[in-house]
């Protein structure tokens, strides 16, 4: 009987030349895990389908390099901010520019779409955070408080809060309806590169250049725990969809963390270099990175990654079955309320500057006319976006898991390998690097 083929835990999926010049921004669609947007020094935003070689759509209009991009929840819109401070929003289904938003005085460093309402948040090197009404084309509110560039913005799952992190070493939490700051976290000792809300409970994670990940309780407004074993600055983090653990993308590895107490469940070696974004689909984690004009995508099979000690079930210790503790954090805090309709409108206040209260000008209209969405791959475009003006809509596009390639080296005997790994895990909480290391040439 032929032996089963052993496949890799992590592997390189694809490498593309994404722009004619350096790539300056990169983001994955979080809904499908298959949509990829890249921004370049060539002032374009290019849309790709993960693991397909050709650009689906190229968005023009920016006149300076694109510094930040974000795809909305249902993957129908994309927002991009430039070095000059301008923001443009495109409707991907209609393949056209939707809005041009002006008001920031420096590079756009961070963007996020509100999960329910028609709002976009932007953070800039000018230290301001702004909330924009996409439909009315206006700045609803300006949040002042950071003293350096705002690197990451995230709306809470219920759409009531906005978290911001900055080079000034702080994380701030803003109440959108009240239009004021709720809390400021100051424990980081370096620029805070990323923040991420837990999908269910009042918990926030932040990753910093101080090489730590901190978890914050959003009821008591205090630190829950701090992961200090990162070897290099934390670039991106993502909670598992069920909230059981946090994935952290570091140089050439994916780390899996718990926070109550803080511990590392697993380390998977991945040759992705400076990973820029993570997404999860079909229990596979997709990671993307860029170097100069090249964008690379990688896959990690989460079925083979240790989360919450689940792989230790069934082991025997001292002649008794060893049952690990239940995943912590599952019911310790309040759960987000999900509104059945769009959220209440954030409070509108008096604008502080002439540029924020001006009505849309002919200059903005001219800029929108000069912005285009060039469909470069009609077949992929129709398959993914299924434009509403099509005569017939095909069945919803369904993603299948990416097939794992076979392992390059003959593995150790499975029984010995699992026994060894399990005994190490039972005796220690040190992270266990996964045996499968992706081949950078694959």
């Amino acid at each position: 009987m032929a032996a089963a083929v052993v496949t890799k835990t992590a592997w390189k999926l694809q490498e593309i030349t994404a722009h004619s010049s350096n790539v300056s921004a990169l983001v994955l669609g979080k809904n499908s895990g298959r949509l990829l947007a890249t921004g370049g020094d060539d002032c374009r935003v290019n849309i790709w389908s993960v693991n397909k070689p050709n650009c689906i759509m190229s968005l023009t209009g920016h006149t300076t390099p694109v510094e930040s991009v974000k795809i909305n929840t249902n993957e129908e819109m994309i927002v991009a901010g430039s070095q000059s401070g301008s923001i443009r929003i495109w409707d991907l289904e209609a393949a056209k520019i939707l809005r041009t938003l002006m008001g920031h005085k420096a590079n756009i460093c961070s963007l996020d779409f509100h999960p329910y309402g028609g709002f976009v948040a932007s953070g800039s090197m000018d230290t301001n955070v702004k909330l924009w009404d996409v439909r009315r084309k206006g700045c609803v509110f300006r949040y002042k408080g950071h003293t350096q560039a705002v690197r990451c913005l995230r709306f809470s799952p219920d759409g009531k809060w906005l978290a911001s992190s900055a080079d000034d070493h702080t994380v701030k939490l803003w109440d959108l309806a009240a239009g004021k700051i709720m809390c400021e976290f100051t424990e980081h000792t370096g620029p805070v590169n990323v923040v991420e809300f837990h999908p269910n409970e009042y918990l926030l994670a932040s990753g910093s250049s101080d090489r730590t990940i901190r978890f914050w309780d959003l009821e008591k407004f205090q630190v829950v725990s701090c992961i200090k074993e990162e070897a290099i600055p934390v670039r991106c983090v993502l909670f598992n969809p069920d909230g059981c653990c946090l994935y952290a993308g570091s140089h050439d590895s994916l780390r899996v963390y718990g926070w109550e107490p803080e511990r590392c469940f697993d380390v998977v070696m991945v040759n992705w270099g400076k990973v820029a974004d993570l997404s999860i689909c079909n229990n596979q984690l997709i990671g993307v990175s860029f170097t100069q004009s090249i964008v690379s995508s990688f896959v990690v099979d989460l079925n083979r990654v240790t989360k919450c000690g689940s792989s230790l079930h069934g082991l025997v210790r001292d002649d008794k079955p060893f049952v690990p503790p239940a995943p912590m954090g599952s019911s310790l805090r309040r759960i987000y309320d999900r509104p059945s309709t769009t959220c209440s409108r954030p409070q509108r206040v008096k604008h502080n500057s002439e540029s924020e209260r001006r009505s849309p000008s002919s200059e903005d209209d001219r800029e929108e006319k000069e912005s285009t969405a060039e469909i470069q791959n009609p077949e992929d475009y129709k398959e993914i976006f299924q434009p509403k003006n099509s005569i017939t809509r095909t069945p919803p596009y369904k993603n299948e898991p990416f097939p794992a390639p076979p392992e390059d080296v003959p593995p150790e005997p499975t029984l010995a390998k699992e026994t060894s790994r399990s005994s190490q895990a039972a005796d220690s909480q040190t992270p266990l690097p996964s045996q499968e290391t992706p081949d950078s040439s694959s």
Side-chain angles (χ1 to χ4, degrees):
M1 184 176 175
V5 176
V6 177
T7 56
K8 294 182 179 182
T9 295
W11 64 95
K12 188 177 205 173
L13 189 65
Q14 181 189 38
E15 190 174 278
I16 54 173
T17 301
H19 288 264
S20 58
S21 56
N22 285 349
V23 174
S24 46
L26 186 58
V27 73
L28 284 161
K30 298 298 185 289
N31 186 36
S32 68
R34 294 294 187 270
L35 200 63
L36 171 66
T38 60
D41 285 353
D42 59 6
C43 309
R44 285 176 174 260
V45 177
N46 290 337
I47 311 295
W48 310 80
S49 179
V50 174
N51 204 33
K52 291 193 176 182
N54 300 316
C55 177
I56 301 170
M57 198 185 308
S58 188
L59 311 175
T60 71
H62 280 297
T63 55
T64 56
V66 175
E67 297 285 304
S68 182
V69 287
K70 188 74 178 182
I71 300 168
N72 76 332
T73 307
N74 59 13
E75 301 183 355
E76 291 175 351
M77 288 192 293
I78 185 167
V79 59
S82 75
Q83 208 171 76
S84 65
S86 69
I87 298 166
R88 281 171 171 77
I89 303 171
W90 286 269
D91 182 323
L92 294 175
E93 280 199 355
K96 68 176 185 180
I97 184 79
L98 199 60
R99 289 287 180 265
T100 300
L101 307 172
M102 311 291 283
H104 281 290
K105 297 177 174 65
N107 300 38
I108 303 297
C109 306
S110 49
L111 294 161
D112 199 25
F113 278 99
H114 190 278
Y116 302 107
F119 302 97
V120 166
S122 60
S124 168
M125 207 167 275
D126 66 13
T127 75
N128 290 321
V129 174
K130 293 192 176 189
L131 184 67
W132 306 86
D133 186 327
V134 174
R135 290 161 296 187
R136 293 171 179 258
K137 200 180 180 178
C139 179
V140 177
F141 200 82
R142 177 171 62 167
Y143 303 93
K144 299 184 71 173
H146 285 294
T147 58
Q148 294 185 49
V150 181
R151 293 296 172 189
C152 188
L153 293 170
R154 288 290 184 272
F155 285 102
S156 60
D158 60 6
K160 294 177 181 177
W161 299 337
L162 178 69
S164 60
S165 67
D167 285 354
D168 60 13
H169 306 181
T170 68
V171 175
K172 297 181 191 293
L173 192 65
W174 310 89
D175 184 318
L176 296 179
K180 64 181 182 181
I181 191 166
M182 290 180 60
C183 187
E184 180 181 37
F185 301 117
T186 59
E187 282 85 340
H188 279 294
T189 58
V192 188
N193 305 320
V194 63
V195 283
E196 194 74 36
F197 282 94
H198 189 280
N200 303 313
E201 10 168 319
Y202 279 32
L203 184 79
L204 183 75
S206 58
S208 167
S209 294
D210 66 10
R211 304 181 180 186
T212 68
I213 296 173
R214 293 177 185 268
F215 296 89
W216 313 93
D217 186 304
L218 300 182
E219 282 189 291
K220 300 174 182 175
F221 300 113
Q222 64 188 29
V223 68
V224 173
S225 59
C226 177
I227 306 283
K228 296 181 179 177
E229 59 188 73
E230 287 290 334
I232 61 166
V234 180
R235 297 183 58 83
C236 50
V237 296
L238 182 66
F239 281 100
N240 200 63
D242 66 1
C244 71
C245 63
L246 181 83
Y247 303 103
S250 296
H251 189 76
D252 288 342
S253 71
L254 176 75
R255 292 168 183 263
V256 189
Y257 291 121
W259 51 91
E260 285 168 314
E262 62 265 25
R263 60 220 189 274
C264 184
F265 293 123
D266 208 345
V267 179
V268 182
M269 305 313 295
V270 196
N271 279 340
W272 49 29
K274 293 181 179 178
V275 61
D277 199 22
L278 304 172
S279 184
I280 293 173
C281 180
N282 293 319
N283 214 26
Q284 291 182 329
L285 182 138
I286 314 299
V288 285
S289 62
F290 62 96
T291 307
Q292 297 179 325
S293 62
I294 304 297
V295 169
S296 302
S297 53
F298 297 80
V299 182
V300 180
D301 182 357
L302 296 181
N303 292 307
R304 301 174 65 178
V305 172
T306 305
K307 317 180 198 75
C308 306
S310 58
S311 67
L312 303 182
H313 274 292
L315 296 182
V316 174
R317 182 188 283 177
D318 299 330
D319 298 325
K320 296 179 181 178
F322 173 69
V323 180
M328 298 296 282
S330 54
S331 59
L332 296 182
R333 270 171 293 274
R334 186 174 166 183
I335 304 298
Y336 290 109
D337 297 321
R338 298 300 206 286
S340 55
T341 58
T342 56
C343 77
S344 59
R345 180 183 180 79
Q347 178 180 335
R348 183 179 286 276
V349 299
K350 284 186 178 180
H351 297 310
N352 301 329
S353 71
E354 191 68 32
S355 64
E356 287 178 20
R357 69 169 176 262
R358 68 189 174 101
S359 58
S361 68
S362 58
E363 181 187 345
D364 291 345
D365 295 336
R366 181 178 58 78
E367 284 177 344
E368 286 183 11
K369 283 172 185 167
E370 290 176 1
S371 299
T372 63
E374 304 164 3
I375 298 173
Q376 301 191 345
N377 193 317
E379 286 187 12
D380 285 348
Y381 165 72
K382 287 177 183 174
E383 180 183 46
I384 293 169
F385 297 112
Q386 300 179 29
K388 292 184 174 65
N389 58 1
S390 299
I391 294 171
T392 58
R393 283 177 72 92
T394 54
Y397 182 64
K398 189 176 186 305
N399 295 316
E400 297 296 331
F402 293 116
E407 185 55 83
D408 299 330
V409 234
E412 304 168 32
T414 306
L415 185 59
K417 176 177 165 182
E418 289 301 319
T419 304
S420 166
R421 182 181 173 113
S422 299
S423 62
Q424 287 179 50
D427 294 339
S428 165
Q429 288 194 343
T430 54
L432 301 173
S434 293
Q435 301 290 329
E436 297 82 357
T437 303
D439 180 2
S440 59
S441 63
S442 63

